[in-house]
Every structure is written in C-alpha cells, then in structure tokens.
Amino acid sequence: MGATANAYLTGFGRYLPGEPVDNDGIVMRLGGDDAVTQRIRRRILDSNGIRQRHYALDEHGEPTELNEELAVKALRAAFDDRGIDAHDIRMLACATTMGDVLVPGFASMVHGRLGGGPMQLLSASGVCASSLAALDAVVSKIRLGDHPRAAVVGSELASRSLRQRRYDGIRAGMDAHFLRWMLSDGAGAVVVEFQPHPSKPSLRVDWVRHVSLAHEHDVCMRAGMVGAEPEVGGTWQDVGIAEGDAAGMFLLRQDVSMLDDLADAGIRQFEELVDIGLVDVRHLDHVVCHYSTNMFRDVAFEALRRRIPTLDTDRWFSNLETRGNTGSASIFIALEEAWHTGRFAPGETVLLAVPESGRFSFAFAHLTVVAPSDRQGAST
C-alpha cells in the first residue's frame, strides 16, 4: 500500500469587528442597565474572566456587518497569509450557529460574497464544535485527492440576539442571561492543502475526532423552542414571529446546572484519546482549547494534572480573556493568534480541543508542526 495522504494547514486568518469593548462598555452595545440585569451581568463577568470582546454593533447597538461579511474577511486574511486568493480553492466549509438568513445555507451566502470559481460547499451547523466538524470534512476530501486546496471558516454574529429589545417584556432568568454576557462576534479561518507551505512552516493534521453524547444528555444550550425539549407545535416554526418573540423563543438559553457535567464529560473524552493512544501526553507540546469561562480552564487543569503531573500550563493557549467567546469561530481565532505569535516550532505537536454544550459534543484535532516543503525536499 502507498503512503497515507496528508493534509496541512498553510494559511491562518481572523476578523474581529470594531474596536475592543471592555466590561464597562457592554451596556452601551447590548443595553440592560436595570438593577437586576446589572447584578447578573457582574456575577457572570466576574466568573468568566473575559475582559474585552468585539461586537458587530455600533455605539447605539445597531448592526454594522453581516455574519457572512465576518466570514469573508477572515477567509481573505487567511488567503493573504498563504499568498492565494479565492480562485485558488476548490472547497469551502463554513461553520456557524446562526447564519444571517434561513435559506440559502450559510456557505452559499459566504461563497456568493467571497467570489472565486466553482467549488464544493459545506454548511456545518451546530454550536462551538461545528468548526472542527467542518475541518474534518475538508481534511477528508483533501486526503481523498478530490481537492488540492480548500478553506474552512467559523463565524459568529451572536450580538444581534443579545440586545435588550429581545429581553423587553420577558421574565428572563439566569438561563437566558448567562450567554448574553458570554458571547461576542468574530470569525477565524484556515487554508488546507495536500502539501506543506513551500517556504514557511505548516501544521499537518494528524487526525480529527468529533463525538456526540446527545444520547446520554438533555439539551443544554437552546433557542427556538418553548421548553427544554422540542414538542410538536412548540417550535419557532409553529408560531408567528411576534408570538415566538413574546414567549422568549428567540433567546439563547443555557442550563447552567449542566455545565459541571459538560466539563467532566470533556475530561473523560480526552482521557479516552490518551487511553487508545491517539494522544501521547509525553509528547504533547501545546494545547489550544476553546472554553466559555475560566472556571472550565481551572477544572481542566486540575484533571489533567492528575494524568500529567508534569503539565506545563504555559503550553496551554487561550485568548478568551481578550477576544471573548466567539462560539464556532473561537478555536480558529485562538489558533491564528497562537500561530502568528511564534509559539510553535517544527516537530512540536498541538492539540485543539472544543467542548460544545448544545447537547454535549466534543471535538479534538491533533496537529504537528512541519518544516516548509522546499526544506523537506532538500533534506530527502
């Protein structure tokens, strides 16, 4: 049998709309200055550790861009990083929680705005882990030889759903307020090819794993239904827009009582990867992890130290505090920053880790830093 085909990340880009918004500036964008909301907001911000984030909203809380625009700007940044343009890719996979429109699919709208030539499209829906699901699909097609070069983008514009007008007249508890002060906007993108970058280091994709535990867990993060479980006649498609809005069906909600279980399940999934040999903790150089709050980081550190007593937490990278929680975009936004700040050296390994609270799913990708292809050729 011939050698296994590989796939490499060769270009990295991100886009964060507007100027950074600190914790004191959130109310100007999202509203919610009543005493009860202020108390909830302070409590959430004190625990999540986010100091600044970006919104595609102006100082009056009005949208400045579309989600598809965020995606395109991140893609173009990745193309510029690689030295190509949209005509050079043959597949585009786009991940988001909510696109700008119900139909067409998000990838079609991004392609239409991006331009380029004919290409295969994939719209990956879900929540945070959808970006690695999109990456998995693209890597598979590259390895099959169907396409020489492709692109993946995760993009979120949650802020439109977090403004005060959504909450007016609704008795909203912690489940509805939690994500309001957690989520923000942005997009991250990567270029994927069948060979390494000719003159700069690349990241070889060793494997991607994505597992759902929905068969064991109830819904944790939701929108578009009345209660915690969908019922016939009780979804957003069964009622008028005004009726659904008044019932709070369009608020993003999260059952915070389930988050400890999410963290525990994520640790178990990581330990399973170690047990079956996919992750060698003796040679794991970097971890880039998406999480919504620093509390998850602390839980993860405690659990990992039990497994890896010599764990160097300086090798753990997250930019949650300065870029915010951008859902499906977060892992690529973090990877782009880690890559361009020079943390990785050829031969080192990188683990991407993304827990998703929607109905409990977890995505991981293992990467290895490789030298430029011209240097590899010179050494053979």
Side-chain angles (χ1 to χ4, degrees):
M1 296 179 63
T4 302
N6 286 318
Y8 301 85
L9 308 186
T10 59
F12 306 83
R14 72 176 181 195
Y15 177 70
L16 296 162
E19 295 297 318
V21 177
D22 63 19
N23 289 349
D24 294 330
I26 297 179
V27 173
M28 184 179 294
R29 299 298 198 281
L30 301 184
D33 58 359
D34 61 280
V36 173
T37 303
Q38 284 186 17
R39 185 168 63 250
I40 294 173
R41 182 175 65 252
R42 284 195 296 268
R43 176 182 170 187
I44 294 171
L45 291 174
D46 286 345
S47 66
N48 66 26
I50 300 173
R51 295 184 284 108
Q52 62 183 33
R53 75 286 292 151
H54 293 255
Y55 296 122
L57 303 173
D58 64 19
E59 62 273 16
H60 305 293
E62 295 302 320
T64 57
E65 299 179 81
L66 293 167
N67 194 5
E68 65 183 61
E69 292 181 277
L70 307 187
V72 167
K73 290 176 180 178
L75 285 163
R76 287 177 175 158
F79 295 161
D80 288 345
D81 185 53
R82 175 59 182 90
I84 61 173
D85 62 30
H87 289 89
D88 295 312
I89 66 168
R90 293 295 176 265
M91 180 177 180
L92 173 63
C94 301
T96 191
T97 303
M98 293 183 290
D100 301 297
V101 298
L102 298 177
V103 177
F106 187 59
S108 292
M109 299 307 293
V110 172
H111 183 204
R113 183 173 293 272
L114 176 68
M119 62 184 70
Q120 180 179 351
L121 297 180
L122 173 68
S123 295
S125 63
V127 198
C128 304
S130 59
S131 51
L132 289 191
L135 176 65
D136 193 16
V138 162
V139 166
S140 296
K141 298 298 282 186
I142 294 288
R143 285 176 169 167
L144 281 172
D146 287 356
H147 306 296
R149 185 183 289 130
V152 185
V153 62
S155 184
E156 302 284 9
L157 208 167
S159 62
R160 292 176 297 196
S161 299
L162 308 177
R163 294 175 291 170
Q164 183 60 37
R165 66 192 66 179
R166 288 286 193 192
Y167 295 78
D168 287 339
I170 298 173
R171 187 177 179 84
M174 179 60 78
D175 70 331
H177 277 289
F178 185 71
L179 291 172
R180 186 181 186 188
W181 312 115
M182 300 283 276
L183 301 177
S184 54
D185 306 333
V190 293
V191 175
V192 188
E193 300 187 61
F194 75 100
Q195 60 186 358
H197 193 291
S199 59
K200 298 190 297 185
S202 306
L203 288 172
R204 186 183 70 228
V205 182
D206 302 316
W207 51 258
V208 183
R209 292 293 184 274
H210 190 185
V211 60
S212 165
L213 301 181
H215 65 300
E216 298 176 349
H217 297 275
D218 294 331
V219 174
C220 178
M221 179 180 174
R222 69 187 192 277
M225 51 190 179
V226 176
E229 293 288 342
E231 298 179 356
V232 175
T235 74
W236 66 273
Q237 296 194 74
D238 300 308
V239 300
I241 298 297
E243 181 183 351
D245 208 17
M249 294 177 68
F250 300 109
L251 297 181
L252 280 169
R253 299 176 184 271
Q254 188 163 59
D255 185 344
V256 296
S257 68
M258 300 175 67
L259 295 183
D260 287 344
D261 291 339
L262 179 72
D264 290 342
I267 294 299
R268 288 196 299 272
Q269 289 300 311
F270 170 78
E271 290 180 336
E272 182 176 309
L273 296 175
V274 174
D275 290 340
I276 64 178
L278 281 177
V279 173
D280 182 350
V281 295
R282 298 167 301 175
H283 302 103
L284 181 57
D285 298 301
H286 304 276
V287 176
V288 180
C289 185
H290 162 65
Y291 47 87
S292 59
T293 169
N294 279 343
M295 291 188 298
F296 283 168
R297 176 201 61 192
D298 298 339
V299 169
F301 281 174
E302 180 181 352
L304 290 173
R305 283 196 180 96
R306 292 196 297 267
R307 192 73 184 242
I308 319 172
T310 59
L311 175 71
D312 180 3
T313 55
D314 289 339
R315 295 285 182 144
W316 181 289
F317 182 84
S318 168
N319 53 11
L320 173 72
E321 295 185 358
T322 55
R323 309 304 177 194
N325 178 358
T326 52
S328 67
S330 291
I331 194 64
F332 290 149
I333 290 174
L335 180 61
E336 186 273 347
E337 184 169 329
W339 181 255
H340 284 131
T341 50
R343 292 175 65 92
F344 309 147
E348 293 184 337
T349 59
V350 184
L351 181 71
L352 307 183
V354 182
E356 176 178 301
S357 65
R359 195 160 182 170
F360 281 41
S361 60
F362 305 89
F364 300 89
H366 192 277
L367 316 171
T368 298
V369 187
V370 299
S373 59
D374 57 1
R375 192 181 307 170
Q376 289 186 6
S379 64
T380 57

